[in-house]
mmCIF file of all heavy atoms in Angstrom:
data_model
loop_
_atom_site.group_PDB
_atom_site.id
_atom_site.type_symbol
_atom_site.label_atom_id
_atom_site.label_comp_id
_atom_site.label_asym_id
_atom_site.label_seq_id
_atom_site.Cartn_x
_atom_site.Cartn_y
_atom_site.Cartn_z
ATOM 1 N N PHE A 304 114.372 144.215 46.388
ATOM 2 C CA PHE A 304 115.833 144.187 46.483
ATOM 3 C C PHE A 304 116.279 142.804 46.961
ATOM 4 O O PHE A 304 115.505 142.059 47.489
ATOM 5 C CB PHE A 304 116.296 145.250 47.469
ATOM 6 C CG PHE A 304 115.838 146.626 47.108
ATOM 7 C CD1 PHE A 304 114.707 147.160 47.706
ATOM 8 C CD2 PHE A 304 116.499 147.354 46.170
ATOM 9 C CE1 PHE A 304 114.238 148.414 47.361
ATOM 10 C CE2 PHE A 304 116.060 148.620 45.795
ATOM 11 C CZ PHE A 304 114.930 149.154 46.405
ATOM 12 N N LYS A 305 117.557 142.525 46.737
ATOM 13 C CA LYS A 305 118.170 141.263 47.180
ATOM 14 C C LYS A 305 119.659 141.535 47.416
ATOM 15 O O LYS A 305 120.150 142.584 47.097
ATOM 16 C CB LYS A 305 117.966 140.161 46.154
ATOM 17 C CG LYS A 305 118.609 140.404 44.808
ATOM 18 C CD LYS A 305 118.314 139.303 43.841
ATOM 19 C CE LYS A 305 118.920 139.522 42.475
ATOM 20 N NZ LYS A 305 118.657 138.420 41.562
ATOM 21 N N ILE A 306 120.301 140.553 48.003
ATOM 22 C CA ILE A 306 121.766 140.678 48.201
ATOM 23 C C ILE A 306 122.458 139.501 47.543
ATOM 24 O O ILE A 306 121.869 138.424 47.294
ATOM 25 C CB ILE A 306 122.140 140.757 49.707
ATOM 26 C CG1 ILE A 306 121.694 139.509 50.470
ATOM 27 C CG2 ILE A 306 121.577 142.008 50.342
ATOM 28 C CD1 ILE A 306 122.203 139.467 51.894
ATOM 29 N N ALA A 307 123.723 139.713 47.288
ATOM 30 C CA ALA A 307 124.620 138.671 46.765
ATOM 31 C C ALA A 307 125.941 138.852 47.486
ATOM 32 O O ALA A 307 126.273 139.961 47.979
ATOM 33 C CB ALA A 307 124.819 138.812 45.269
ATOM 34 N N VAL A 308 126.704 137.769 47.599
ATOM 35 C CA VAL A 308 127.957 137.794 48.347
ATOM 36 C C VAL A 308 129.073 137.221 47.480
ATOM 37 O O VAL A 308 128.904 136.190 46.837
ATOM 38 C CB VAL A 308 127.844 136.989 49.642
ATOM 39 C CG1 VAL A 308 129.181 136.955 50.406
ATOM 40 C CG2 VAL A 308 126.728 137.485 50.557
ATOM 41 N N THR A 309 130.214 137.891 47.542
ATOM 42 C CA THR A 309 131.458 137.319 47.033
ATOM 43 C C THR A 309 132.408 137.195 48.211
ATOM 44 O O THR A 309 132.699 138.199 48.872
ATOM 45 C CB THR A 309 132.079 138.188 45.931
ATOM 46 O OG1 THR A 309 131.172 138.290 44.824
ATOM 47 C CG2 THR A 309 133.388 137.618 45.447
ATOM 48 N N LEU A 310 132.822 135.969 48.467
ATOM 49 C CA LEU A 310 133.791 135.730 49.550
ATOM 50 C C LEU A 310 135.167 135.607 48.924
ATOM 51 O O LEU A 310 135.412 134.741 48.068
ATOM 52 C CB LEU A 310 133.468 134.423 50.310
ATOM 53 C CG LEU A 310 132.192 134.418 51.092
ATOM 54 C CD1 LEU A 310 131.930 133.022 51.652
ATOM 55 C CD2 LEU A 310 132.248 135.393 52.232
ATOM 56 N N GLN A 311 136.061 136.531 49.308
ATOM 57 C CA GLN A 311 137.427 136.502 48.803
ATOM 58 C C GLN A 311 138.322 135.955 49.925
ATOM 59 O O GLN A 311 138.315 136.482 51.036
ATOM 60 C CB GLN A 311 137.895 137.914 48.416
ATOM 61 C CG GLN A 311 137.142 138.463 47.254
ATOM 62 C CD GLN A 311 137.556 139.892 46.934
ATOM 63 O OE1 GLN A 311 137.623 140.726 47.849
ATOM 64 N NE2 GLN A 311 137.810 140.176 45.686
ATOM 65 N N VAL A 312 139.011 134.867 49.617
ATOM 66 C CA VAL A 312 139.817 134.169 50.602
ATOM 67 C C VAL A 312 141.281 134.197 50.247
ATOM 68 O O VAL A 312 141.649 133.848 49.130
ATOM 69 C CB VAL A 312 139.349 132.690 50.753
ATOM 70 C CG1 VAL A 312 140.120 131.985 51.845
ATOM 71 C CG2 VAL A 312 137.837 132.634 51.041
ATOM 72 N N LYS A 313 142.085 134.694 51.186
ATOM 73 C CA LYS A 313 143.527 134.680 51.023
ATOM 74 C C LYS A 313 144.119 133.682 52.006
ATOM 75 O O LYS A 313 143.651 133.564 53.144
ATOM 76 C CB LYS A 313 144.123 136.054 51.349
ATOM 77 C CG LYS A 313 143.746 137.141 50.359
ATOM 78 C CD LYS A 313 144.412 138.452 50.755
ATOM 79 C CE LYS A 313 143.975 139.584 49.836
ATOM 80 N NZ LYS A 313 144.554 140.869 50.242
ATOM 81 N N GLY A 314 145.128 132.977 51.568
ATOM 82 C CA GLY A 314 145.833 132.050 52.440
ATOM 83 C C GLY A 314 147.331 132.268 52.316
ATOM 84 O O GLY A 314 147.859 132.389 51.203
ATOM 85 N N HIS A 315 147.987 132.355 53.444
ATOM 86 C CA HIS A 315 149.445 132.530 53.472
ATOM 87 C C HIS A 315 150.067 131.278 54.038
ATOM 88 O O HIS A 315 149.673 130.803 55.113
ATOM 89 C CB HIS A 315 149.817 133.776 54.296
ATOM 90 C CG HIS A 315 149.098 135.015 53.892
ATOM 91 N ND1 HIS A 315 149.446 135.718 52.780
ATOM 92 C CD2 HIS A 315 148.015 135.640 54.425
ATOM 93 C CE1 HIS A 315 148.629 136.769 52.661
ATOM 94 N NE2 HIS A 315 147.753 136.718 53.634
ATOM 95 N N GLY A 316 151.028 130.708 53.322
ATOM 96 C CA GLY A 316 151.674 129.506 53.768
ATOM 97 C C GLY A 316 150.934 128.228 53.334
ATOM 98 O O GLY A 316 151.014 127.223 54.026
ATOM 99 N N ILE A 317 150.230 128.287 52.215
ATOM 100 C CA ILE A 317 149.488 127.164 51.697
ATOM 101 C C ILE A 317 149.446 127.238 50.165
ATOM 102 O O ILE A 317 149.398 128.342 49.599
ATOM 103 C CB ILE A 317 148.046 127.144 52.279
ATOM 104 C CG1 ILE A 317 147.338 125.841 51.897
ATOM 105 C CG2 ILE A 317 147.269 128.376 51.887
ATOM 106 C CD1 ILE A 317 145.985 125.638 52.607
ATOM 107 N N GLU A 318 149.494 126.076 49.532
ATOM 108 C CA GLU A 318 149.407 126.042 48.069
ATOM 109 C C GLU A 318 147.968 126.411 47.638
ATOM 110 O O GLU A 318 147.008 126.064 48.293
ATOM 111 C CB GLU A 318 149.714 124.642 47.554
ATOM 112 C CG GLU A 318 151.145 124.221 47.759
ATOM 113 C CD GLU A 318 151.402 122.779 47.295
ATOM 114 O OE1 GLU A 318 150.474 122.150 46.720
ATOM 115 O OE2 GLU A 318 152.519 122.320 47.521
ATOM 116 N N LYS A 319 147.853 127.075 46.496
ATOM 117 C CA LYS A 319 146.564 127.553 46.017
ATOM 118 C C LYS A 319 145.566 126.407 45.839
ATOM 119 O O LYS A 319 144.394 126.539 46.225
ATOM 120 C CB LYS A 319 146.700 128.347 44.712
ATOM 121 C CG LYS A 319 145.386 128.961 44.271
ATOM 122 C CD LYS A 319 145.554 129.832 43.029
ATOM 123 C CE LYS A 319 144.217 130.471 42.684
ATOM 124 N NZ LYS A 319 144.272 131.277 41.463
ATOM 125 N N GLY A 320 145.988 125.300 45.277
ATOM 126 C CA GLY A 320 145.089 124.160 45.053
ATOM 127 C C GLY A 320 144.531 123.600 46.351
ATOM 128 O O GLY A 320 143.339 123.271 46.450
ATOM 129 N N LYS A 321 145.378 123.520 47.373
ATOM 130 C CA LYS A 321 144.938 123.020 48.682
ATOM 131 C C LYS A 321 143.974 124.021 49.314
ATOM 132 O O LYS A 321 142.940 123.646 49.907
ATOM 133 C CB LYS A 321 146.111 122.761 49.608
ATOM 134 C CG LYS A 321 145.729 122.194 50.962
ATOM 135 C CD LYS A 321 145.011 120.854 50.829
ATOM 136 C CE LYS A 321 144.625 120.296 52.165
ATOM 137 N NZ LYS A 321 143.776 119.092 52.049
ATOM 138 N N LEU A 322 144.264 125.307 49.181
ATOM 139 C CA LEU A 322 143.380 126.341 49.706
ATOM 140 C C LEU A 322 142.011 126.271 49.044
ATOM 141 O O LEU A 322 140.976 126.347 49.718
ATOM 142 C CB LEU A 322 143.993 127.721 49.569
ATOM 143 C CG LEU A 322 143.166 128.907 50.092
ATOM 144 C CD1 LEU A 322 142.784 128.725 51.547
ATOM 145 C CD2 LEU A 322 143.880 130.212 49.842
ATOM 146 N N GLU A 323 141.976 126.117 47.714
ATOM 147 C CA GLU A 323 140.722 126.017 47.008
ATOM 148 C C GLU A 323 139.891 124.840 47.516
ATOM 149 O O GLU A 323 138.695 124.944 47.712
ATOM 150 C CB GLU A 323 140.980 125.885 45.515
ATOM 151 C CG GLU A 323 141.472 127.180 44.878
ATOM 152 C CD GLU A 323 141.937 127.036 43.450
ATOM 153 O OE1 GLU A 323 142.198 125.880 43.001
ATOM 154 O OE2 GLU A 323 142.049 128.049 42.773
ATOM 155 N N ASP A 324 140.561 123.710 47.776
ATOM 156 C CA ASP A 324 139.862 122.552 48.326
ATOM 157 C C ASP A 324 139.278 122.847 49.719
ATOM 158 O O ASP A 324 138.110 122.524 49.967
ATOM 159 C CB ASP A 324 140.840 121.353 48.405
ATOM 160 C CG ASP A 324 140.214 120.129 48.985
ATOM 161 O OD1 ASP A 324 139.193 119.650 48.438
ATOM 162 O OD2 ASP A 324 140.739 119.631 50.010
ATOM 163 N N LEU A 325 140.067 123.478 50.565
ATOM 164 C CA LEU A 325 139.594 123.810 51.908
ATOM 165 C C LEU A 325 138.461 124.839 51.858
ATOM 166 O O LEU A 325 137.525 124.745 52.669
ATOM 167 C CB LEU A 325 140.740 124.352 52.760
ATOM 168 C CG LEU A 325 141.847 123.329 53.117
ATOM 169 C CD1 LEU A 325 142.980 124.026 53.856
ATOM 170 C CD2 LEU A 325 141.291 122.175 53.937
ATOM 171 N N VAL A 326 138.516 125.797 50.943
ATOM 172 C CA VAL A 326 137.474 126.784 50.809
ATOM 173 C C VAL A 326 136.147 126.120 50.443
ATOM 174 O O VAL A 326 135.093 126.440 50.989
ATOM 175 C CB VAL A 326 137.879 127.878 49.802
ATOM 176 C CG1 VAL A 326 136.680 128.710 49.355
ATOM 177 C CG2 VAL A 326 138.953 128.771 50.361
ATOM 178 N N GLN A 327 136.196 125.190 49.503
ATOM 179 C CA GLN A 327 134.961 124.440 49.121
ATOM 180 C C GLN A 327 134.396 123.673 50.309
ATOM 181 O O GLN A 327 133.170 123.702 50.564
ATOM 182 C CB GLN A 327 135.262 123.495 47.965
ATOM 183 C CG GLN A 327 135.471 124.192 46.639
ATOM 184 C CD GLN A 327 134.253 124.973 46.187
ATOM 185 O OE1 GLN A 327 133.112 124.618 46.377
ATOM 186 N NE2 GLN A 327 134.528 126.121 45.569
ATOM 187 N N LYS A 328 135.254 123.030 51.073
ATOM 188 C CA LYS A 328 134.817 122.281 52.246
ATOM 189 C C LYS A 328 134.247 123.215 53.311
ATOM 190 O O LYS A 328 133.252 122.890 53.987
ATOM 191 C CB LYS A 328 135.951 121.433 52.821
ATOM 192 C CG LYS A 328 136.306 120.281 51.904
ATOM 193 C CD LYS A 328 137.528 119.523 52.407
ATOM 194 C CE LYS A 328 137.880 118.369 51.449
ATOM 195 N NZ LYS A 328 139.103 117.721 51.850
ATOM 196 N N ALA A 329 134.886 124.369 53.497
ATOM 197 C CA ALA A 329 134.427 125.352 54.458
ATOM 198 C C ALA A 329 133.041 125.864 54.066
ATOM 199 O O ALA A 329 132.185 126.125 54.922
ATOM 200 C CB ALA A 329 135.394 126.489 54.600
ATOM 201 N N HIS A 330 132.823 126.027 52.769
ATOM 202 C CA HIS A 330 131.524 126.513 52.269
ATOM 203 C C HIS A 330 130.413 125.500 52.602
ATOM 204 O O HIS A 330 129.275 125.876 52.839
ATOM 205 C CB HIS A 330 131.615 126.781 50.780
ATOM 206 C CG HIS A 330 130.438 127.519 50.204
ATOM 207 N ND1 HIS A 330 129.873 128.638 50.794
ATOM 208 C CD2 HIS A 330 129.715 127.286 49.108
ATOM 209 C CE1 HIS A 330 128.877 129.037 50.056
ATOM 210 N NE2 HIS A 330 128.730 128.248 49.038
ATOM 211 N N GLU A 331 130.732 124.225 52.608
ATOM 212 C CA GLU A 331 129.727 123.221 52.970
ATOM 213 C C GLU A 331 129.502 123.224 54.489
ATOM 214 O O GLU A 331 128.408 122.878 54.947
ATOM 215 C CB GLU A 331 130.222 121.804 52.540
ATOM 216 C CG GLU A 331 130.282 121.651 51.041
ATOM 217 C CD GLU A 331 128.950 121.859 50.380
ATOM 218 O OE1 GLU A 331 127.950 121.318 50.868
ATOM 219 O OE2 GLU A 331 128.903 122.593 49.346
ATOM 220 N N PHE A 332 130.487 123.624 55.273
ATOM 221 C CA PHE A 332 130.466 123.529 56.736
ATOM 222 C C PHE A 332 129.960 124.798 57.423
ATOM 223 O O PHE A 332 129.309 124.736 58.477
ATOM 224 C CB PHE A 332 131.879 123.196 57.226
ATOM 225 C CG PHE A 332 132.014 123.023 58.699
ATOM 226 C CD1 PHE A 332 131.657 121.803 59.300
ATOM 227 C CD2 PHE A 332 132.522 124.019 59.473
ATOM 228 C CE1 PHE A 332 131.776 121.639 60.676
ATOM 229 C CE2 PHE A 332 132.643 123.849 60.856
ATOM 230 C CZ PHE A 332 132.263 122.666 61.435
ATOM 231 N N CYS A 333 130.255 125.948 56.868
ATOM 232 C CA CYS A 333 129.983 127.258 57.509
ATOM 233 C C CYS A 333 128.458 127.453 57.718
ATOM 234 O O CYS A 333 127.677 127.327 56.805
ATOM 235 C CB CYS A 333 130.540 128.367 56.608
ATOM 236 S SG CYS A 333 130.108 130.026 57.142
ATOM 237 N N PRO A 334 128.046 127.810 58.951
ATOM 238 C CA PRO A 334 126.633 128.053 59.206
ATOM 239 C C PRO A 334 126.022 129.176 58.331
ATOM 240 O O PRO A 334 124.849 129.063 57.938
ATOM 241 C CB PRO A 334 126.616 128.445 60.666
ATOM 242 C CG PRO A 334 127.797 127.736 61.278
ATOM 243 C CD PRO A 334 128.848 127.827 60.179
ATOM 244 N N TYR A 335 126.776 130.230 58.034
ATOM 245 C CA TYR A 335 126.248 131.259 57.161
ATOM 246 C C TYR A 335 126.068 130.697 55.741
ATOM 247 O O TYR A 335 125.057 131.032 55.101
ATOM 248 C CB TYR A 335 127.195 132.481 57.112
ATOM 249 C CG TYR A 335 126.961 133.499 58.212
ATOM 250 C CD1 TYR A 335 127.203 133.210 59.540
ATOM 251 C CD2 TYR A 335 126.517 134.763 57.879
ATOM 252 C CE1 TYR A 335 127.007 134.146 60.524
ATOM 253 C CE2 TYR A 335 126.333 135.744 58.850
ATOM 254 C CZ TYR A 335 126.559 135.413 60.180
ATOM 255 O OH TYR A 335 126.344 136.348 61.161
ATOM 256 N N SER A 336 126.985 129.932 55.260
ATOM 257 C CA SER A 336 126.862 129.351 53.925
ATOM 258 C C SER A 336 125.653 128.407 53.884
ATOM 259 O O SER A 336 124.916 128.388 52.911
ATOM 260 C CB SER A 336 128.133 128.586 53.550
ATOM 261 O OG SER A 336 129.197 129.467 53.330
ATOM 262 N N LYS A 337 125.444 127.627 54.943
ATOM 263 C CA LYS A 337 124.272 126.774 55.024
ATOM 264 C C LYS A 337 122.991 127.587 54.969
ATOM 265 O O LYS A 337 122.043 127.238 54.290
ATOM 266 C CB LYS A 337 124.321 125.912 56.279
ATOM 267 C CG LYS A 337 125.381 124.836 56.275
ATOM 268 C CD LYS A 337 125.384 124.094 57.621
ATOM 269 C CE LYS A 337 126.480 123.053 57.682
ATOM 270 N NZ LYS A 337 126.496 122.371 58.992
ATOM 271 N N ALA A 338 122.991 128.683 55.715
ATOM 272 C CA ALA A 338 121.770 129.514 55.830
ATOM 273 C C ALA A 338 121.432 130.221 54.505
ATOM 274 O O ALA A 338 120.271 130.432 54.198
ATOM 275 C CB ALA A 338 121.919 130.548 56.928
ATOM 276 N N THR A 339 122.468 130.542 53.738
ATOM 277 C CA THR A 339 122.240 131.282 52.475
ATOM 278 C C THR A 339 122.088 130.373 51.278
ATOM 279 O O THR A 339 121.605 130.795 50.233
ATOM 280 C CB THR A 339 123.383 132.262 52.212
ATOM 281 O OG1 THR A 339 124.617 131.540 52.109
ATOM 282 C CG2 THR A 339 123.470 133.311 53.307
ATOM 283 N N ARG A 340 122.510 129.103 51.407
ATOM 284 C CA ARG A 340 122.510 128.176 50.253
ATOM 285 C C ARG A 340 121.098 128.099 49.617
ATOM 286 O O ARG A 340 120.128 127.839 50.282
ATOM 287 C CB ARG A 340 122.965 126.794 50.702
ATOM 288 C CG ARG A 340 123.215 125.842 49.520
ATOM 289 C CD ARG A 340 124.034 124.623 49.935
ATOM 290 N NE ARG A 340 125.381 125.002 50.272
ATOM 291 C CZ ARG A 340 125.959 124.838 51.466
ATOM 292 N NH1 ARG A 340 125.261 124.292 52.444
ATOM 293 N NH2 ARG A 340 127.171 125.237 51.704
ATOM 294 N N GLY A 341 121.047 128.358 48.335
ATOM 295 C CA GLY A 341 119.794 128.288 47.607
ATOM 296 C C GLY A 341 118.945 129.558 47.743
ATOM 297 O O GLY A 341 117.873 129.655 47.144
ATOM 298 N N ASN A 342 119.402 130.511 48.562
ATOM 299 C CA ASN A 342 118.658 131.722 48.792
ATOM 300 C C ASN A 342 119.273 132.962 48.145
ATOM 301 O O ASN A 342 118.537 133.836 47.679
ATOM 302 C CB ASN A 342 118.507 131.979 50.301
ATOM 303 C CG ASN A 342 117.748 130.901 50.986
ATOM 304 O OD1 ASN A 342 116.660 130.520 50.559
ATOM 305 N ND2 ASN A 342 118.290 130.360 52.063
ATOM 306 N N ILE A 343 120.584 133.032 48.163
ATOM 307 C CA ILE A 343 121.297 134.146 47.538
ATOM 308 C C ILE A 343 122.470 133.612 46.772
ATOM 309 O O ILE A 343 122.943 132.508 47.030
ATOM 310 C CB ILE A 343 121.778 135.215 48.584
ATOM 311 C CG1 ILE A 343 122.852 134.620 49.492
ATOM 312 C CG2 ILE A 343 120.614 135.791 49.346
ATOM 313 C CD1 ILE A 343 123.493 135.666 50.401
#
Side-chain angles (χ1 to χ4, degrees):
F304 304 97
K305 62 183 180 179
I306 61 172
V308 178
T309 298
L310 294 173
Q311 295 176 312
V312 182
K313 293 181 184 177
H315 306 284
I317 187 171
E318 293 177 6
K319 186 175 182 183
K321 182 61 180 173
L322 179 57
E323 289 171 342
D324 178 58
L325 292 175
V326 165
Q327 288 298 324
K328 290 175 180 175
H330 190 47
E331 294 301 314
F332 182 80
C333 172
Y335 273 66
S336 291
K337 289 177 183 178
T339 59
R340 190 165 291 119
N342 297 310
I343 66 171

